[in-house]
Amino acid sequence: MSRAFVKDMDGEGTEDIPELAISPHRNLVTPAGLAHIDETLRRLDGELATARAAADRATIARVERDLRYWSSRRFTAEVVDPVACPENVRFGCTVELHSAAGERIRFKIVGEDESDPAQGRISYVSPLAAAMIGATVGDEVQFRGNMAV
């Protein structure tokens, strides 16, 4: 029988998994974002050791892929220290938006891997952050109608 028609049981569960996409943007991070990358790398190292001990090929493949991503992100990280009282909105700032109806929303502008809009952290490359960067108090930005910074 041709080898092409034989199922290889040794490789079961180790299909090629796609690499995680690396952003084309600069990898700006806050000091907390860098700490998050370092913690993720430590956690993944532990997961890899556990998966290797269990000979869990699928988990080994996933964790090795994740380690490649986070190692790359650590290597390219550009830490931006926050400025205490900047005159203009910039990376690392927390911005409070006010609507004419009295709605107030706070966002911190952070790196792509740090972003979590539900927690009030938005990526500096997001459209809202791009609209706010460079703004000063009283400027208007497009978000849920016009809102002032």
Side-chain angles (χ1 to χ4, degrees):
M1 178 184 292
S2 169
R3 186 78 184 131
F5 297 106
V6 177
K7 183 175 180 180
D8 183 6
M9 297 303 285
D10 288 339
E12 192 172 310
T14 61
E15 300 84 27
D16 288 334
I17 57 175
E19 291 297 314
L20 297 173
I22 301 286
S23 172
H25 302 285
R26 290 175 60 197
N27 187 15
L28 302 180
V29 297
T30 64
L34 185 64
H36 170 73
I37 292 171
D38 289 339
E39 174 55 34
T40 300
L41 286 167
R42 280 189 294 277
R43 179 182 51 78
L44 289 169
D45 281 339
E47 286 181 26
L48 183 59
T50 301
R52 284 183 173 155
D56 182 346
R57 291 177 149 187
T59 301
I60 291 169
R62 180 192 53 81
V63 172
E64 285 178 341
R65 185 261 332 252
D66 291 354
L67 276 167
R68 286 189 297 276
Y69 174 84
W70 287 105
S71 294
S72 172
R73 298 303 278 172
R74 179 62 173 94
F75 180 74
T76 61
E78 297 176 43
V79 179
V80 178
D81 288 317
V83 174
C85 296
E87 292 183 23
N88 297 56
V89 175
R90 56 176 279 173
F91 183 90
C93 285
T94 298
V95 181
E96 186 170 274
L97 300 176
H98 302 262
S99 72
E103 179 184 18
R104 293 174 183 233
I105 303 170
R106 292 176 63 104
F107 292 107
K108 182 170 184 171
I109 300 173
V110 297
E112 292 177 281
D113 293 319
E114 301 173 73
S115 106
D116 184 351
Q119 298 298 313
R121 295 187 307 268
I122 60 172
S123 167
Y124 80 100
V125 299
S126 70
L128 177 57
M132 291 190 296
I133 290 176
T136 59
V137 173
D139 287 349
E140 288 190 359
V141 295
Q142 282 293 113
F143 181 69
R144 297 185 186 168
N146 286 335
M147 299 191 83
V149 174

